[in-house]
Amino acid sequence: MPRRTHWFKRERIRDVKTAGCGQCAQASRSAGGARSTRRRADAGRFASHRGTGFALGEKTCDMARSPTRSHARAAGFAGYQDIGPPLRISDEARSMIKHAILGLMLFCLSPLALAQDEVFDVHVHLWHGEKSLKEYYAQLEAEHQPVARHSGIYMAIKGETQENRRKNDELIALSKRYPKLMPIASVHPLDGQVAIDELKRLAGLGVKAIKLHPHTQRFDITDPQVRALCKLAGELGVAVLFDNFNIVPGDNQNLFNLAVGLPKTQFIFAHMGGLDFRFWNSLFLARTAKDFFFDNIHFDISATVALVADSPVEPEFVWTIRNVGIDNVMLGSDYPQLSLKQAGDALEKLDLSAEEKRKIRWGNANKLFGGKR
Ligand SMILES: [Zn+2]
């Protein structure tokens, strides 16, 4: 039932007391709002009150149950000021407002709010350098997506060694001007010695990761040159972000073999296998084999998370995330194909704890890539 309340200036309550109105206490209720008036009524001359009305002595005022402006006038309080039309707030609405205010207070103090900007988007393609970066930032702002760090990916083209080097330098230069940007440079594994030299140069410039894409760059994961390049990356402390959407048949198996053969190289398998993610549950068992598996396989769940959230396979995806290791999974958008908001919203839907999500959103990538903001 809606509760009717009139709002009058507070001085009316003083008038009520000094005037010693014996008619009813309802005007005082109108004057100060039910709750405050009850306290005042208790403290003042209104000896008792009950329910929604007030009583003076033994006499209960009937009109107190349906207060009106005219009643306040009728009560004889000269000079009362009506400061607005009746405000009707239902009990449900009151309760909702109370909870909203309480929730806001709790949120402001919660670790989630404090960590609101702690997002590391590990999968961002900057196809057109600074132009793409500005567009990415504009999208983040438009969609209210605070980001503490993010990657910027380039993918080398076979044989175009000068252009690849120029693009890598462009990316590194951008990261100096935009401190949130972590460059993920690239070489083409089939460019032989040029690729080896470029990788060494990149490591010397502080690059922490390179991107390889067997489908787009058109190479075979099992090629010995790929292995040699990845081995060197491990020795130089450069992680390898490898596409793993299983566009190329056998991706999962080939990448698994590559990673277990190169335990010093940190691999990040992008998209966690796409819809073939189920394969990676085998890591749970691989860890139990003595001297076989090393903890050098990580995943980003870019694109795939947006696909599986709210899908029939969502619980399996969550099960896989835990089996590959909650400390080895990172959030990425795969911008510009998908936005960070899509990735973040999808992650929120997964049945993972707040701490697990925080690791995926920020902690794991921050740890892998050197722990600086
Ligand atoms: Zn991508």
Side-chain angles (χ1 to χ4, degrees), residues 155 188 212-221 242-243 245-249 251:
M155 284 198 291
H188 198 289
L212 297 179
H213 198 306
H215 179 69
T216 312
Q217 292 182 305
R218 295 165 192 257
F219 65 81
D220 188 338
I221 297 169
F242 233 115
D243 179 78
F245 204 82
N246 273 288
I247 307 167
V248 177
D251 251 17

Side-chain angles (χ1 to χ4, degrees), residues 6 8 16 36-37 80 103 115 154 175 194 199 220 229 256 265 267 273 285 351 359:
H6 285 264
F8 297 94
V16 169
S36 59
T37 307
Y80 79 87
Y154 172 63
S175 72
V194 177
L199 179 56
D220 188 338
L229 192 74
F256 177 84
T265 305
F267 289 94
L285 289 178
D351 190 16
K359 284 181 171 186

Side-chain angles (χ1 to χ4, degrees), residues 123 125 211 271 334:
H123 200 129
H125 293 277
K211 171 82 186 263
H271 319 301
D334 206 5

